[in-house]
Amino acid sequence: MEKEKIVSIEERIPKLKLQRRKKANRRLIIMLILFFTLILCIIYFQSPLSKVKSFSVHGNDSYTADEILKFSEISSQSNIWKINRNEAESKLEKLPEIKNAEVTVRLPNTVKIELKEYEKLAYLSKGKDFFPVLGNGEILGNDLSEDMPVNAPILIGFKEGKALDEMISSLERLPDEILSSISEIHYKPSKTDAYRINLFMNDGYEVNATLRNFTEKMTHYPSIISQLDPAQKGVIDLEVGSYFKAYQAEEAEEVELKKESED
Protein backbone atom coordinates (compact mmCIF):
# COMPACT_ATOMS: atom_id res chain seq x y z
CA MET A 1 0.00 0.00 0.00
CA GLU A 2 1.39 3.35 -1.16
CA LYS A 3 1.98 6.00 1.38
CA GLU A 4 -0.29 9.05 1.11
CA LYS A 5 1.40 12.06 -0.35
CA ILE A 6 2.07 14.60 2.31
CA VAL A 7 1.79 18.29 1.29
CA SER A 8 3.92 20.55 3.35
CA ILE A 9 2.66 23.82 4.77
CA GLU A 10 5.25 25.67 2.69
CA GLU A 11 3.62 24.37 -0.52
CA ARG A 12 0.09 25.33 0.56
CA ILE A 13 0.85 28.93 1.54
CA PRO A 14 1.26 30.28 -2.06
CA LYS A 15 -2.07 28.70 -3.07
CA LEU A 16 -3.84 30.21 -0.07
CA LYS A 17 -2.35 33.60 -0.85
CA LEU A 18 -3.52 33.35 -4.45
CA GLN A 19 -7.10 32.44 -3.42
CA ARG A 20 -7.23 35.29 -0.93
CA ARG A 21 -5.91 37.71 -3.56
CA LYS A 22 -8.62 36.61 -6.02
CA LYS A 23 -11.36 37.07 -3.41
CA ALA A 24 -9.98 40.49 -2.50
CA ASN A 25 -9.92 41.49 -6.18
CA ARG A 26 -13.53 40.37 -6.65
CA ARG A 27 -14.66 42.34 -3.62
CA LEU A 28 -12.76 45.38 -4.88
CA ILE A 29 -14.38 45.13 -8.31
CA ILE A 30 -17.84 44.80 -6.75
CA MET A 31 -17.21 47.80 -4.50
CA LEU A 32 -15.94 49.85 -7.46
CA ILE A 33 -19.03 48.92 -9.51
CA LEU A 34 -21.36 49.91 -6.65
CA PHE A 35 -19.42 53.12 -6.10
CA PHE A 36 -19.54 54.23 -9.74
CA THR A 37 -23.20 53.16 -10.01
CA LEU A 38 -23.98 55.35 -7.01
CA ILE A 39 -22.05 58.23 -8.56
CA LEU A 40 -23.92 57.83 -11.85
CA CYS A 41 -27.27 57.76 -10.01
CA ILE A 42 -26.40 60.95 -8.13
CA ILE A 43 -25.35 62.62 -11.37
CA TYR A 44 -28.55 61.40 -13.10
CA PHE A 45 -30.86 62.65 -10.35
CA GLN A 46 -29.12 66.03 -10.28
CA SER A 47 -29.00 66.44 -14.04
CA PRO A 48 -31.70 67.43 -16.57
CA LEU A 49 -31.85 63.78 -17.64
CA SER A 50 -34.13 62.99 -14.68
CA LYS A 51 -36.56 65.77 -15.59
CA VAL A 52 -39.71 65.12 -17.62
CA LYS A 53 -38.81 65.67 -21.24
CA SER A 54 -41.90 64.65 -23.22
CA PHE A 55 -45.64 64.60 -22.55
CA SER A 56 -48.51 62.74 -24.17
CA VAL A 57 -52.15 63.68 -23.44
CA HIS A 58 -55.09 61.79 -24.98
CA GLY A 59 -58.88 62.04 -24.61
CA ASN A 60 -58.90 65.75 -23.78
CA ASP A 61 -61.78 67.43 -25.61
CA SER A 62 -62.67 70.07 -23.03
CA TYR A 63 -59.14 71.16 -22.14
CA THR A 64 -55.90 71.70 -24.02
CA ALA A 65 -52.87 69.53 -23.26
CA ASP A 66 -51.19 72.48 -21.55
CA GLU A 67 -54.22 72.98 -19.30
CA ILE A 68 -54.26 69.28 -18.38
CA LEU A 69 -50.58 69.41 -17.43
CA LYS A 70 -51.19 72.52 -15.37
CA PHE A 71 -54.06 70.89 -13.46
CA SER A 72 -52.00 67.73 -12.87
CA GLU A 73 -49.11 69.90 -11.61
CA ILE A 74 -46.64 67.98 -13.78
CA SER A 75 -44.15 70.07 -15.71
CA SER A 76 -40.79 69.87 -17.45
CA GLN A 77 -39.23 70.67 -14.08
CA SER A 78 -40.77 67.60 -12.42
CA ASN A 79 -38.42 64.78 -11.50
CA ILE A 80 -39.58 61.63 -13.26
CA TRP A 81 -38.98 59.57 -10.11
CA LYS A 82 -40.88 61.88 -7.81
CA ILE A 83 -44.13 62.04 -9.76
CA ASN A 84 -47.05 60.82 -7.64
CA ARG A 85 -49.36 59.25 -10.21
CA ASN A 86 -52.29 58.74 -7.82
CA GLU A 87 -52.13 62.36 -6.69
CA ALA A 88 -52.00 63.65 -10.27
CA GLU A 89 -54.97 61.45 -11.28
CA SER A 90 -56.98 62.65 -8.28
CA LYS A 91 -56.38 66.29 -9.22
CA LEU A 92 -57.51 65.72 -12.80
CA GLU A 93 -60.64 63.81 -11.75
CA LYS A 94 -61.73 66.81 -9.68
CA LEU A 95 -62.39 68.64 -12.96
CA PRO A 96 -66.14 68.42 -13.69
CA GLU A 97 -65.64 67.13 -17.24
CA ILE A 98 -63.17 64.38 -16.35
CA LYS A 99 -64.67 61.00 -15.54
CA ASN A 100 -61.40 59.06 -15.30
CA ALA A 101 -57.69 59.91 -15.52
CA GLU A 102 -54.73 57.57 -15.84
CA VAL A 103 -51.15 58.82 -15.54
CA THR A 104 -48.33 56.59 -16.77
CA VAL A 105 -44.59 57.21 -16.32
CA ARG A 106 -42.31 55.80 -18.98
CA LEU A 107 -38.56 55.78 -18.49
CA PRO A 108 -36.34 57.54 -19.05
CA ASN A 109 -38.39 60.79 -19.03
CA THR A 110 -41.88 60.48 -20.60
CA VAL A 111 -45.30 61.04 -19.00
CA LYS A 112 -48.50 59.79 -20.64
CA ILE A 113 -51.96 60.97 -19.53
CA GLU A 114 -55.10 59.14 -20.69
CA LEU A 115 -58.44 60.85 -20.01
CA LYS A 116 -62.07 59.80 -20.27
CA GLU A 117 -64.52 62.69 -20.21
CA TYR A 118 -68.20 62.75 -19.41
CA GLU A 119 -70.28 62.96 -22.56
CA LYS A 120 -71.99 66.27 -23.29
CA LEU A 121 -75.55 64.95 -23.48
CA ALA A 122 -77.20 68.28 -24.28
CA TYR A 123 -76.92 72.06 -24.17
CA LEU A 124 -79.15 74.12 -21.91
CA SER A 125 -80.28 77.24 -23.73
CA LYS A 126 -80.40 80.52 -21.81
CA GLY A 127 -80.84 83.46 -24.13
CA LYS A 128 -78.01 83.44 -26.67
CA ASP A 129 -75.80 81.22 -24.56
CA PHE A 130 -75.60 77.47 -24.27
CA PHE A 131 -74.52 75.63 -21.13
CA PRO A 132 -73.20 72.08 -21.69
CA VAL A 133 -74.97 69.42 -19.67
CA LEU A 134 -72.74 66.46 -18.81
CA GLY A 135 -73.61 62.81 -18.50
CA ASN A 136 -73.26 63.03 -14.72
CA GLY A 137 -76.01 65.67 -14.66
CA GLU A 138 -73.73 68.62 -14.00
CA ILE A 139 -74.35 71.86 -15.88
CA LEU A 140 -71.17 73.72 -16.79
CA GLY A 141 -71.83 77.29 -15.79
CA ASN A 142 -68.36 78.51 -16.76
CA ASP A 143 -68.38 77.25 -20.33
CA LEU A 144 -70.74 79.62 -22.10
CA SER A 145 -70.76 79.81 -25.86
CA GLU A 146 -72.70 81.82 -28.41
CA ASP A 147 -71.93 79.24 -31.09
CA MET A 148 -74.70 76.82 -32.01
CA PRO A 149 -73.75 73.43 -30.49
CA VAL A 150 -73.75 70.33 -32.69
CA ASN A 151 -74.27 66.61 -32.15
CA ALA A 152 -76.31 67.17 -28.99
CA PRO A 153 -79.89 68.34 -28.42
CA ILE A 154 -80.62 71.86 -27.20
CA LEU A 155 -82.83 72.07 -24.10
CA ILE A 156 -85.17 75.06 -24.23
CA GLY A 157 -87.45 76.27 -21.43
CA PHE A 158 -85.88 74.07 -18.75
CA LYS A 159 -84.79 75.33 -15.35
CA GLU A 160 -82.78 73.52 -12.72
CA GLY A 161 -85.08 71.16 -10.88
CA LYS A 162 -86.87 67.82 -11.16
CA ALA A 163 -87.89 68.19 -14.79
CA LEU A 164 -84.33 68.96 -15.94
CA ASP A 165 -82.90 66.14 -13.80
CA GLU A 166 -85.41 63.71 -15.29
CA MET A 167 -84.61 64.96 -18.78
CA ILE A 168 -80.88 64.43 -18.35
CA SER A 169 -81.41 61.00 -16.84
CA SER A 170 -83.64 60.03 -19.79
CA LEU A 171 -81.12 61.25 -22.37
CA GLU A 172 -78.34 59.31 -20.69
CA ARG A 173 -80.27 56.07 -21.22
CA LEU A 174 -81.03 56.72 -24.89
CA PRO A 175 -79.04 54.91 -27.60
CA ASP A 176 -76.45 57.19 -29.21
CA GLU A 177 -78.03 57.06 -32.67
CA ILE A 178 -81.35 58.31 -31.31
CA LEU A 179 -79.75 60.95 -29.09
CA SER A 180 -77.84 62.39 -32.06
CA SER A 181 -81.05 62.56 -34.11
CA ILE A 182 -82.67 65.07 -31.71
CA SER A 183 -82.23 68.75 -32.58
CA GLU A 184 -84.23 70.55 -29.86
CA ILE A 185 -86.26 69.62 -26.78
CA HIS A 186 -88.76 72.19 -25.49
CA TYR A 187 -90.21 71.93 -22.01
CA LYS A 188 -94.00 72.33 -22.40
CA PRO A 189 -95.69 71.49 -19.09
CA SER A 190 -99.48 71.39 -19.02
CA LYS A 191 -102.14 71.28 -16.29
CA THR A 192 -102.42 67.53 -16.70
CA ASP A 193 -98.72 66.73 -17.21
CA ALA A 194 -95.89 68.70 -15.58
CA TYR A 195 -93.37 66.63 -17.57
CA ARG A 196 -94.66 67.26 -21.09
CA ILE A 197 -91.99 67.94 -23.74
CA ASN A 198 -91.89 68.73 -27.46
CA LEU A 199 -89.02 67.53 -29.66
CA PHE A 200 -87.80 68.66 -33.07
CA MET A 201 -85.85 65.97 -34.87
CA ASN A 202 -83.04 66.36 -37.39
CA ASP A 203 -85.03 64.37 -39.95
CA GLY A 204 -87.87 66.92 -39.94
CA TYR A 205 -90.38 65.21 -37.65
CA GLU A 206 -91.84 66.66 -34.44
CA VAL A 207 -92.48 64.54 -31.36
CA ASN A 208 -94.82 65.13 -28.43
CA ALA A 209 -93.90 63.10 -25.37
CA THR A 210 -93.76 62.99 -21.60
CA LEU A 211 -90.70 62.46 -19.45
CA ARG A 212 -92.57 59.80 -17.48
CA ASN A 213 -91.95 57.22 -20.25
CA PHE A 214 -89.73 59.16 -22.64
CA THR A 215 -86.79 56.74 -22.86
CA GLU A 216 -88.98 53.67 -23.36
CA LYS A 217 -91.05 55.36 -26.08
CA MET A 218 -88.16 57.03 -27.93
CA THR A 219 -86.24 53.76 -28.11
CA HIS A 220 -88.80 52.72 -30.75
CA TYR A 221 -88.38 55.91 -32.79
CA PRO A 222 -86.45 54.26 -35.69
CA SER A 223 -89.18 51.62 -35.97
CA ILE A 224 -91.90 54.28 -35.92
CA ILE A 225 -90.47 56.45 -38.71
CA SER A 226 -89.77 53.38 -40.84
CA GLN A 227 -93.57 53.02 -41.15
CA LEU A 228 -94.01 56.62 -42.36
CA ASP A 229 -93.66 58.27 -45.75
CA PRO A 230 -90.36 60.25 -45.61
CA ALA A 231 -91.88 62.91 -47.89
CA GLN A 232 -94.71 63.61 -45.46
CA LYS A 233 -93.62 65.27 -42.24
CA GLY A 234 -95.72 65.83 -39.16
CA VAL A 235 -96.12 65.21 -35.43
CA ILE A 236 -95.49 61.87 -33.78
CA ASP A 237 -97.45 61.75 -30.53
CA LEU A 238 -95.98 59.46 -27.88
CA GLU A 239 -97.81 60.82 -24.83
CA VAL A 240 -100.58 58.23 -24.89
CA GLY A 241 -100.02 55.40 -27.29
CA SER A 242 -98.18 56.21 -30.53
CA TYR A 243 -99.77 57.91 -33.52
CA PHE A 244 -98.82 60.24 -36.35
CA LYS A 245 -100.48 63.37 -37.58
CA ALA A 246 -99.23 64.97 -40.80
CA TYR A 247 -98.74 68.74 -40.91
CA GLN A 248 -101.04 68.96 -43.93
CA ALA A 249 -103.89 67.41 -41.98
CA GLU A 250 -103.41 69.96 -39.18
CA GLU A 251 -103.53 72.84 -41.68
CA ALA A 252 -106.74 71.47 -43.20
CA GLU A 253 -108.38 71.32 -39.74
CA GLU A 254 -107.39 74.89 -38.97
CA VAL A 255 -108.82 76.10 -42.21
CA GLU A 256 -112.07 74.19 -41.67
CA LEU A 257 -112.51 75.52 -38.11
CA LYS A 258 -111.98 79.06 -39.35
CA LYS A 259 -114.72 78.66 -41.97
CA GLU A 260 -117.17 77.32 -39.38
CA SER A 261 -116.62 80.33 -37.09
CA GLU A 262 -117.23 82.73 -39.98
CA ASP A 263 -120.63 81.13 -40.70
Side-chain angles (χ1 to χ4, degrees), residues 24-85:
N25 288 340
R26 282 198 295 267
R27 283 198 293 267
L28 178 61
I29 291 172
I30 292 172
M31 293 298 292
L32 287 174
I33 291 173
L34 292 175
F35 175 75
F36 284 110
T37 301
L38 180 61
I39 293 297
L40 290 174
C41 289
I42 293 174
I43 294 173
Y44 172 74
F45 282 114
Q46 297 298 322
S47 71
L49 294 174
S50 65
K51 306 295 184 183
V52 177
K53 186 176 181 180
S54 61
F55 299 94
S56 175
V57 181
H58 301 280
N60 53 312
D61 293 327
S62 301
Y63 299 94
T64 65
D66 289 339
E67 288 174 329
I68 292 298
L69 292 174
K70 180 181 178 181
F71 290 127
S72 69
E73 297 186 5
I74 298 175
S75 71
S76 58
Q77 299 302 312
S78 300
N79 188 301
I80 197 74
W81 297 97
K82 294 182 179 179
I83 293 176
N84 188 321
R85 295 187 297 110

Coordinates of all heavy atoms in Angstrom, one line a residue, residues 24-85:
A24 N -10.1 39.1 -2.8 CA -10.0 40.5 -2.5 C -10.2 41.3 -3.8 O -10.9 42.4 -3.7 CB -8.6 40.8 -1.9
N25 N -9.7 40.8 -4.9 CA -9.9 41.5 -6.2 C -11.4 41.5 -6.6 O -11.9 42.5 -7.1 CB -9.1 40.8 -7.3 CG -7.6 41.1 -7.1 OD1 -7.2 42.0 -6.4 ND2 -6.8 40.2 -7.7
R26 N -12.1 40.4 -6.3 CA -13.5 40.4 -6.6 C -14.3 41.4 -5.8 O -15.2 42.1 -6.3 CB -14.1 38.9 -6.5 CG -13.8 38.0 -7.6 CD -14.7 36.8 -7.6 NE -14.5 36.0 -6.4 CZ -13.6 35.0 -6.3 NH1 -12.9 34.6 -7.4 NH2 -13.5 34.3 -5.2
R27 N -14.0 41.4 -4.5 CA -14.7 42.3 -3.6 C -14.4 43.8 -4.0 O -15.3 44.6 -4.0 CB -14.2 42.1 -2.2 CG -14.9 40.9 -1.5 CD -14.7 41.0 0.0 NE -13.3 40.8 0.4 CZ -12.7 39.7 0.7 NH1 -13.4 38.6 0.7 NH2 -11.5 39.6 1.1
L28 N -13.1 44.0 -4.5 CA -12.8 45.4 -4.9 C -13.5 45.8 -6.1 O -14.0 46.9 -6.2 CB -11.3 45.4 -5.1 CG -10.7 46.8 -5.7 CD1 -11.0 47.9 -4.6 CD2 -9.2 46.7 -6.0
I29 N -13.6 44.8 -7.1 CA -14.4 45.1 -8.3 C -15.8 45.4 -8.0 O -16.4 46.4 -8.6 CB -14.2 43.9 -9.3 CG1 -12.8 43.8 -9.8 CG2 -15.2 44.1 -10.5 CD1 -12.5 42.6 -10.6
I30 N -16.4 44.6 -7.1 CA -17.8 44.8 -6.8 C -18.0 46.2 -6.1 O -19.0 46.9 -6.4 CB -18.3 43.7 -5.8 CG1 -18.4 42.4 -6.6 CG2 -19.7 44.0 -5.2 CD1 -18.7 41.1 -5.7
M31 N -17.1 46.5 -5.2 CA -17.2 47.8 -4.5 C -17.1 49.0 -5.5 O -17.8 50.0 -5.4 CB -16.1 47.9 -3.4 CG -16.3 46.9 -2.3 SD -17.8 47.2 -1.3 CE -17.5 48.9 -0.6
L32 N -16.1 48.8 -6.5 CA -15.9 49.9 -7.5 C -17.2 50.0 -8.3 O -17.6 51.1 -8.7 CB -14.7 49.5 -8.3 CG -13.4 49.7 -7.7 CD1 -12.2 49.2 -8.6 CD2 -13.1 51.2 -7.3
I33 N -17.8 48.9 -8.7 CA -19.0 48.9 -9.5 C -20.1 49.6 -8.8 O -20.8 50.5 -9.3 CB -19.5 47.5 -9.9 CG1 -18.5 46.9 -10.9 CG2 -20.9 47.5 -10.5 CD1 -18.7 45.5 -11.3
L34 N -20.3 49.3 -7.5 CA -21.4 49.9 -6.6 C -21.1 51.4 -6.5 O -22.0 52.2 -6.5 CB -21.4 49.2 -5.3 CG -22.0 47.8 -5.3 CD1 -21.9 47.2 -3.9 CD2 -23.4 47.8 -5.7
F35 N -19.8 51.7 -6.3 CA -19.4 53.1 -6.1 C -19.7 54.0 -7.3 O -20.4 55.0 -7.3 CB -17.9 53.2 -5.8 CG -17.4 54.6 -5.7 CD1 -17.7 55.4 -4.6 CD2 -16.6 55.1 -6.7 CE1 -17.2 56.7 -4.5 CE2 -16.2 56.4 -6.6 CZ -16.4 57.2 -5.5
F36 N -19.3 53.5 -8.5 CA -19.5 54.2 -9.7 C -21.0 54.3 -10.1 O -21.5 55.2 -10.7 CB -18.7 53.6 -10.9 CG -17.3 54.0 -10.8 CD1 -16.3 53.1 -10.5 CD2 -16.9 55.3 -11.0 CE1 -15.0 53.4 -10.5 CE2 -15.5 55.7 -10.9 CZ -14.6 54.7 -10.7
T37 N -21.7 53.2 -9.8 CA -23.2 53.2 -10.0 C -23.9 54.2 -9.2 O -24.8 55.0 -9.6 CB -23.8 51.8 -9.7 OG1 -23.2 50.8 -10.5 CG2 -25.3 51.8 -9.9
L38 N -23.4 54.3 -7.9 CA -24.0 55.4 -7.0 C -23.7 56.7 -7.5 O -24.5 57.6 -7.5 CB -23.4 55.2 -5.6 CG -23.9 56.1 -4.5 CD1 -25.4 56.1 -4.4 CD2 -23.2 55.9 -3.2
I39 N -22.5 56.9 -8.0 CA -22.1 58.2 -8.6 C -22.9 58.6 -9.8 O -23.4 59.7 -9.9 CB -20.5 58.2 -8.9 CG1 -19.7 58.1 -7.7 CG2 -20.2 59.5 -9.7 CD1 -19.8 59.3 -6.7
L40 N -23.1 57.6 -10.7 CA -23.9 57.8 -11.9 C -25.4 58.2 -11.5 O -26.0 59.0 -12.1 CB -23.9 56.6 -12.8 CG -22.6 56.3 -13.5 CD1 -22.6 55.0 -14.2 CD2 -22.2 57.5 -14.4
C41 N -25.9 57.5 -10.5 CA -27.3 57.8 -10.0 C -27.4 59.2 -9.5 O -28.3 59.9 -9.8 CB -27.7 56.7 -9.0 SG -28.0 55.1 -9.6
I42 N -26.4 59.6 -8.7 CA -26.4 61.0 -8.1 C -26.3 62.0 -9.3 O -27.1 63.0 -9.3 CB -25.2 61.1 -7.2 CG1 -25.4 60.3 -5.9 CG2 -25.1 62.6 -6.8 CD1 -24.2 60.3 -5.0
I43 N -25.5 61.7 -10.2 CA -25.4 62.6 -11.4 C -26.7 62.7 -12.2 O -27.1 63.7 -12.6 CB -24.2 62.2 -12.3 CG1 -22.9 62.3 -11.6 CG2 -24.2 63.0 -13.6 CD1 -21.7 61.8 -12.3
Y44 N -27.3 61.5 -12.3 CA -28.6 61.4 -13.1 C -29.7 62.2 -12.4 O -30.4 63.0 -13.0 CB -29.0 59.9 -13.3 CG -30.3 59.8 -13.8 CD1 -30.6 60.0 -15.2 CD2 -31.4 59.3 -13.0 CE1 -31.9 59.8 -15.7 CE2 -32.7 59.2 -13.6 CZ -32.9 59.4 -14.9 OH -34.1 59.3 -15.4
F45 N -29.8 62.0 -11.1 CA -30.9 62.7 -10.4 C -30.7 64.2 -10.3 O -31.6 64.9 -10.2 CB -31.0 62.1 -8.9 CG -31.7 60.8 -8.9 CD1 -31.0 59.6 -8.5 CD2 -33.0 60.7 -9.2 CE1 -31.6 58.4 -8.4 CE2 -33.7 59.4 -9.1 CZ -33.0 58.3 -8.7
Q46 N -29.4 64.6 -10.4 CA -29.1 66.0 -10.3 C -29.1 66.7 -11.7 O -29.0 67.9 -11.7 CB -27.8 66.3 -9.6 CG -27.7 65.8 -8.1 CD -28.8 66.5 -7.2 OE1 -29.0 67.7 -7.4 NE2 -29.4 65.8 -6.3
S47 N -29.1 65.9 -12.7 CA -29.0 66.4 -14.0 C -30.4 66.6 -14.7 O -31.4 66.0 -14.2 CB -28.1 65.5 -14.9 OG -28.8 64.3 -15.2
P48 N -30.4 67.3 -15.8 CA -31.7 67.4 -16.6 C -32.2 66.1 -17.1 O -33.4 66.0 -17.5 CB -31.3 68.4 -17.7 CG -30.1 69.1 -17.2 CD -29.4 68.1 -16.4
L49 N -31.4 65.1 -17.1 CA -31.8 63.8 -17.6 C -33.0 63.2 -16.8 O -33.8 62.4 -17.3 CB -30.7 62.8 -17.7 CG -29.5 63.1 -18.6 CD1 -28.4 62.2 -18.5 CD2 -30.0 63.1 -20.1
S50 N -33.1 63.5 -15.5 CA -34.1 63.0 -14.7 C -35.4 63.8 -14.7 O -36.4 63.5 -14.1 CB -33.6 62.9 -13.2 OG -33.4 64.2 -12.7
K51 N -35.4 64.9 -15.5 CA -36.6 65.8 -15.6 C -37.5 65.2 -16.7 O -37.0 64.5 -17.6 CB -36.2 67.2 -15.9 CG -35.2 67.8 -14.9 CD -35.8 68.0 -13.6 CE -34.8 68.7 -12.6 NZ -35.3 68.8 -11.2
V52 N -38.8 65.5 -16.6 CA -39.7 65.1 -17.6 C -39.4 65.8 -18.9 O -39.3 67.1 -19.0 CB -41.2 65.4 -17.2 CG1 -42.1 65.1 -18.3 CG2 -41.5 64.7 -15.9
K53 N -39.2 65.1 -20.0 CA -38.8 65.7 -21.2 C -40.0 65.7 -22.2 O -40.1 66.6 -23.0 CB -37.6 64.9 -21.8 CG -37.0 65.5 -23.1 CD -35.8 64.8 -23.6 CE -35.2 65.4 -24.8 NZ -34.0 64.7 -25.3
S54 N -40.8 64.7 -22.3 CA -41.9 64.6 -23.2 C -43.2 64.3 -22.6 O -43.2 63.5 -21.6 CB -41.6 63.7 -24.4 OG -41.4 62.4 -23.8
F55 N -44.3 64.8 -23.1 CA -45.6 64.6 -22.5 C -46.5 64.0 -23.7 O -46.4 64.4 -24.8 CB -46.3 65.9 -22.0 CG -45.5 66.5 -20.9 CD1 -44.6 67.5 -21.2 CD2 -45.7 66.2 -19.6 CE1 -43.9 68.1 -20.1 CE2 -45.0 66.8 -18.5 CZ -44.1 67.7 -18.8
S56 N -47.5 63.3 -23.2 CA -48.5 62.7 -24.2 C -49.9 62.8 -23.5 O -50.1 62.2 -22.4 CB -48.2 61.3 -24.6 OG -49.2 60.7 -25.4
V57 N -50.8 63.5 -24.0 CA -52.2 63.7 -23.4 C -53.2 63.2 -24.5 O -53.2 63.7 -25.6 CB -52.4 65.1 -23.0 CG1 -53.8 65.2 -22.4 CG2 -51.4 65.6 -22.0
H58 N -54.1 62.3 -24.1 CA -55.1 61.8 -25.0 C -56.5 61.9 -24.3 O -56.6 61.7 -23.1 CB -54.8 60.3 -25.4 CG -53.5 60.2 -26.0 ND1 -53.2 60.4 -27.4 CD2 -52.3 59.8 -25.5 CE1 -52.0 60.2 -27.7 NE2 -51.4 59.8 -26.6
G59 N -57.5 62.0 -25.1 CA -58.9 62.0 -24.6 C -59.3 63.4 -24.1 O -60.4 63.5 -23.4
N60 N -58.6 64.4 -24.3 CA -58.9 65.8 -23.8 C -59.6 66.6 -24.8 O -59.0 67.1 -25.7 CB -57.6 66.5 -23.4 CG -56.6 66.5 -24.5 OD1 -56.3 65.5 -25.1 ND2 -56.0 67.7 -24.7
D61 N -61.0 66.6 -24.7 CA -61.8 67.4 -25.6 C -62.1 68.8 -25.0 O -62.2 69.8 -25.7 CB -63.1 66.7 -25.9 CG -62.8 65.4 -26.8 OD1 -61.9 65.4 -27.6 OD2 -63.6 64.5 -26.6
S62 N -62.3 68.8 -23.7 CA -62.7 70.1 -23.0 C -61.5 71.0 -22.6 O -61.7 72.2 -22.4 CB -63.5 69.7 -21.8 OG -64.6 69.0 -22.1
Y63 N -60.3 70.4 -22.6 CA -59.1 71.2 -22.1 C -58.0 70.9 -23.1 O -57.9 69.8 -23.7 CB -58.7 70.8 -20.7 CG -59.7 71.0 -19.7 CD1 -60.6 70.0 -19.3 CD2 -59.8 72.2 -19.0 CE1 -61.6 70.2 -18.3 CE2 -60.8 72.5 -18.0 CZ -61.6 71.4 -17.7 OH -62.6 71.7 -16.7
T64 N -57.1 71.9 -23.2 CA -55.9 71.7 -24.0 C -54.9 70.8 -23.2 O -55.0 70.7 -22.0 CB -55.2 73.0 -24.4 OG1 -54.8 73.7 -23.1 CG2 -56.2 74.0 -25.1
A65 N -53.9 70.3 -23.9 CA -52.9 69.5 -23.3 C -52.1 70.3 -22.2 O -51.8 69.8 -21.1 CB -51.9 69.0 -24.3
D66 N -51.9 71.6 -22.5 CA -51.2 72.5 -21.5 C -52.0 72.7 -20.3 O -51.5 72.7 -19.2 CB -50.9 73.8 -22.2 CG -49.8 73.7 -23.2 OD1 -49.0 72.8 -23.2 OD2 -49.7 74.6 -24.1
E67 N -53.3 72.8 -20.5 CA -54.2 73.0 -19.3 C -54.2 71.7 -18.4 O -54.2 71.8 -17.2 CB -55.6 73.3 -19.8 CG -55.7 74.7 -20.3 CD -57.1 75.0 -20.9 OE1 -57.7 74.1 -21.4 OE2 -57.6 76.2 -20.9
I68 N -54.3 70.6 -19.1 CA -54.3 69.3 -18.4 C -53.0 69.1 -17.6 O -53.0 68.7 -16.4 CB -54.4 68.1 -19.3 CG1 -55.8 68.1 -20.0 CG2 -54.1 66.8 -18.6 CD1 -56.9 67.9 -19.0
L69 N -51.9 69.5 -18.2 CA -50.6 69.4 -17.4 C -50.6 70.4 -16.3 O -50.0 70.0 -15.2 CB -49.4 69.7 -18.4 CG -49.2 68.7 -19.5 CD1 -48.1 69.2 -20.5 CD2 -48.8 67.3 -18.9
K70 N -51.1 71.5 -16.5 CA -51.2 72.5 -15.4 C -52.0 72.0 -14.2 O -51.6 72.1 -13.0 CB -51.8 73.8 -15.9 CG -51.9 74.9 -14.8 CD -52.5 76.2 -15.4 CE -52.6 77.3 -14.4 NZ -53.2 78.5 -14.9
F71 N -53.2 71.4 -14.5 CA -54.1 70.9 -13.5 C -53.4 69.7 -12.7 O -53.6 69.5 -11.5 CB -55.4 70.5 -14.0 CG -56.3 71.6 -14.5 CD1 -56.8 71.7 -15.7 CD2 -56.5 72.7 -13.6 CE1 -57.6 72.8 -16.1 CE2 -57.3 73.8 -14.0 CZ -57.9 73.8 -15.3
S72 N -52.6 68.9 -13.5 CA -52.0 67.7 -12.9 C -50.8 68.1 -12.1 O -50.2 67.3 -11.3 CB -51.6 66.7 -14.0 OG -50.5 67.2 -14.8
E73 N -50.3 69.4 -12.3 CA -49.1 69.9 -11.6 C -47.9 69.1 -12.0 O -46.9 69.0 -11.2 CB -49.3 69.9 -10.1 CG -50.4 70.9 -9.7 CD -50.5 71.0 -8.1 OE1 -49.7 70.5 -7.4 OE2 -51.5 71.7 -7.7
I74 N -47.8 68.6 -13.2 CA -46.6 68.0 -13.8 C -46.1 68.9 -14.8 O -46.8 69.4 -15.7 CB -47.0 66.6 -14.4 CG1 -47.5 65.7 -13.3 CG2 -45.8 66.0 -15.1 CD1 -48.0 64.3 -13.9
S75 N -44.8 69.2 -14.8 CA -44.1 70.1 -15.7 C -42.8 69.5 -16.1 O -42.4 68.5 -15.7 CB -44.0 71.5 -15.1 OG -43.0 71.4 -14.1
S76 N -42.1 70.3 -17.0 CA -40.8 69.9 -17.5 C -39.8 70.0 -16.3 O -38.6 69.5 -16.5 CB -40.4 70.7 -18.6 OG -40.4 72.1 -18.3
Q77 N -40.1 70.6 -15.2 CA -39.2 70.7 -14.1 C -39.5 69.5 -13.1 O -38.7 69.4 -12.1 CB -39.4 72.0 -13.4 CG -39.1 73.2 -14.2 CD -37.7 73.2 -14.8 OE1 -36.7 72.9 -14.1 NE2 -37.5 73.4 -16.1
S78 N -40.5 68.7 -13.3 CA -40.8 67.6 -12.4 C -39.7 66.5 -12.6 O -39.4 66.1 -13.7 CB -42.2 67.1 -12.7 OG -43.1 68.1 -12.5
N79 N -39.3 65.9 -11.5 CA -38.4 64.8 -11.5 C -39.3 63.5 -11.8 O -40.3 63.3 -11.2 CB -37.7 64.6 -10.2 CG -36.6 63.6 -10.2 OD1 -36.9 62.4 -10.5 ND2 -35.4 64.0 -9.9
I80 N -38.8 62.8 -12.8 CA -39.6 61.6 -13.3 C -39.8 60.6 -12.2 O -40.8 59.9 -12.1 CB -38.9 61.0 -14.5 CG1 -39.8 60.0 -15.2 CG2 -37.6 60.2 -14.0 CD1 -40.8 60.8 -16.0
W81 N -38.9 60.5 -11.2 CA -39.0 59.6 -10.1 C -39.8 60.1 -8.9 O -40.2 59.3 -8.1 CB -37.6 59.2 -9.6 CG -36.7 58.5 -10.6 CD1 -35.8 59.1 -11.4 CD2 -36.7 57.2 -11.0 NE1 -35.2 58.2 -12.3 CE2 -35.8 57.0 -12.0 CE3 -37.5 56.1 -10.5 CZ2 -35.6 55.8 -12.6 CZ3 -37.2 54.8 -11.1 CH2 -36.3 54.7 -12.1
K82 N -40.1 61.3 -8.9 CA -40.9 61.9 -7.8 C -42.3 62.2 -8.1 O -43.1 62.7 -7.3 CB -40.2 63.2 -7.3 CG -38.8 63.0 -6.7 CD -38.2 64.3 -6.2 CE -36.9 64.1 -5.6 NZ -36.3 65.3 -5.1
I83 N -42.7 61.8 -9.4 CA -44.1 62.0 -9.8 C -45.1 61.1 -9.0 O -44.9 59.8 -9.1 CB -44.3 61.9 -11.3 CG1 -43.6 63.0 -12.0 CG2 -45.8 61.9 -11.7 CD1 -43.6 62.8 -13.5
N84 N -46.1 61.6 -8.3 CA -47.1 60.8 -7.6 C -48.2 60.6 -8.6 O -49.1 61.5 -8.7 CB -47.5 61.5 -6.3 CG -48.4 60.6 -5.5 OD1 -49.2 59.9 -6.0 ND2 -48.1 60.7 -4.2
R85 N -48.3 59.5 -9.2 CA -49.4 59.3 -10.2 C -50.8 59.3 -9.6 O -51.7 59.9 -10.2 CB -49.1 57.9 -10.9 CG -47.8 57.8 -11.7 CD -47.7 56.6 -12.5 NE -47.7 55.4 -11.6 CZ -48.6 54.5 -11.5 NH1 -49.7 54.6 -12.2 NH2 -48.5 53.4 -10.7

